[in-house]
Amino acid sequence: MALYVHKYGGTSMGSVERIKNVARRVAKWRNAGHQVIVVPSAMSGETNRLLGLAREIQKDPDPRELDMLASTGEQASVALLSMALQDLGVAARSYTGWQVPIRTDSSHTKARIKSIDDARVRQDLDAGKVVIITGFQGVDEDNNITTLGRGGSDTSAVAVAAALSAKECLIYTDVDGVYTTDPRVVPEAQRLGVVSFEEMLEMASLGSKVLQIRSVEFAGKYRLPVRVLSSLTDPLISLDDEARSGTLITFEEDEKMETAVVSGIAFSRDEAKLTLVAVPDKPGIAYQILGPIAAANIDVDVIVQNQSIAGTTDFSFTVNRVEFKRAMDVLQNTVLPAVGAREIVSDESVCKVSIVGIGMRSHVGIASLMFETLAQEGINIQMISTSEIKTSVIIQDKYMELAVRALHKAFGLDQYQASNASS
Ligand code: ASP
Ligand code: MG
């Protein structure tokens, strides 16, 4: 017998029939003798519906009231799931974030979890109940309801699992695991049986949208095993098969891990590039350019500064495309007058493609195979950035699919076998 946390996304909770299926699946785990905590999302579409209503009433909705509103989606789904379990004869009890309580800071709409009180939950578990806790929300010091940002239920589930030292956090979703790349772009993409926590962290931050990145950070901090698996299988399939399915995010980088050097190709189209041409090459310039950008709360991603020729250099960086206009304003109005560059050039049609793999640590020539592959496709690399376990390139976005497909093939991921699956 062990304690498991199950997380179900909006699609899995999307209708009465699906909620009943979630209940059947949870009942199977409970009846096998395990303790189960369930953290569901709101029914699919519900959070969007609520946020839409808010915007119809207030152009720029008050963040505190927005959290009051958005948190109700999850309150409805926990109650419905509890009823569905009771209907199957399984004792169950639902709680909102503030009832547990899940304490957060006060940054409405993007709050961070600070602590979780496990007393009430433990009591119910010990009494044989399934405990159902709302995802996505918590309560601040002054008892205001907060939410954790879109997709935040993943983080709620992992945090609850960490707080109660669960054996594993199972994230049930509408895909059956983490793939070598997005199967919509590369039909040959393969499911990974195991992926290391560090690879998952890179993939989540590089645009693979399977898990909210903060949930991966949480899992890392507490070394909590997380498994991503399908909620669309028959809920009554054998528990053993289910417990081994999907993708296990693990901390054990031992011989059991896959031998593939590159585990995945991540990409994101939402990039924009800004370049200051011919800025003076002297101390303080990077700060004078990026200081005001940071002060405007804009995240900078890839940064490149060239060797100076005749005392000036070109300085380029990328930002998320939605922040492009604001970044451009800062450069034009604040930076340009202060540093005296010749001009600003920009490109809103770039994308980022990355190869990720812990094997890159111990193998040479991985980046050069990436560059060779792109060269063979005639794709120009505009910027490069690397870390120990990834290499990213900025290229024109019209070549994104081509680049991803070519790299997927070049690194042998088309044939990758998820065989030595997780256990
Ligand atoms: N319901 C919230 C959202 O749609 C939280 C979640 O689903 O994880 O973003
Ligand atoms: Mg999600």
Side-chain angles (χ1 to χ4, degrees), residues 286-300 317 326 330 335:
Y287 175 62
Q288 277 190 60
I289 296 170
L290 297 181
I293 294 284
N297 212 357
I298 299 170
D299 268 334
V300 170
F317 61 95
R326 285 205 306 127
V330 173
V335 177

Side-chain angles (χ1 to χ4, degrees), residues 258-278:
E258 299 298 330
T259 47
V261 179
V262 167
S263 301
I265 316 286
F267 54 86
S268 120
R269 200 186 286 283
D270 315 323
E271 312 282 325
K273 185 175 76 163
L274 302 106
T275 303
L276 282 148
V277 181

